[in-house]
Amino acid sequence: MANDPSVVRYLAATIAATADTIPALADGGAVTVTGAMHSFVGVVESADVRARGDATAPTATEGELIPQNSKIYLSESELQLMKFIRTGGVSATIKGHIYNVRLAELLGIL
């Protein structure tokens, strides 16, 4: 396990019909990603979503399908670049924590 991982902040984001990043879609207003935010671990709630990290916005039918109740793990660059969109008429919520350590370290890979 990572050496002293700490939660930088809790984040909940509503994923609706307009694609964007989790920080941009944060409930309560967009979150500015700081140098202390190195990884995100969360859960997709309420509905399925699609995601793309290649600088192209996903659509309701294009992008990686992430089913409801799936856990998601985002690296620092994915936290800033990965865009999400709902797949149907029901908005989803992604809830989780941003950590001060890199994802590989948090997951015990390094």
Side-chain angles (χ1 to χ4, degrees), residues 13-101:
T14 299
I15 312 302
T18 301
D20 215 331
T21 65
I22 290 174
L25 297 171
D27 295 346
V31 170
T32 300
V33 177
T34 69
M37 300 176 171
H38 294 294
S39 57
F40 175 83
V41 178
V43 175
V44 177
E45 299 180 1
S46 311
D48 298 346
V49 300
R50 289 194 181 271
R52 286 186 71 153
D54 63 351
T56 302
T59 68
T61 58
E62 186 59 45
E64 179 181 357
L65 179 63
I66 304 172
Q68 179 182 351
N69 299 321
S70 293
K71 197 155 213 169
I72 60 169
Y73 304 89
L74 301 177
S75 67
E76 186 173 2
S77 64
E78 290 171 322
L79 179 61
Q80 296 179 61
L81 299 174
M82 185 79 62
K83 292 185 177 185
F84 295 83
I85 195 167
R86 70 185 186 199
T87 60
V90 176
S91 293
T93 303
I94 295 178
K95 296 180 181 180
H97 292 90
I98 298 174
Y99 292 90
N100 68 334
V101 296

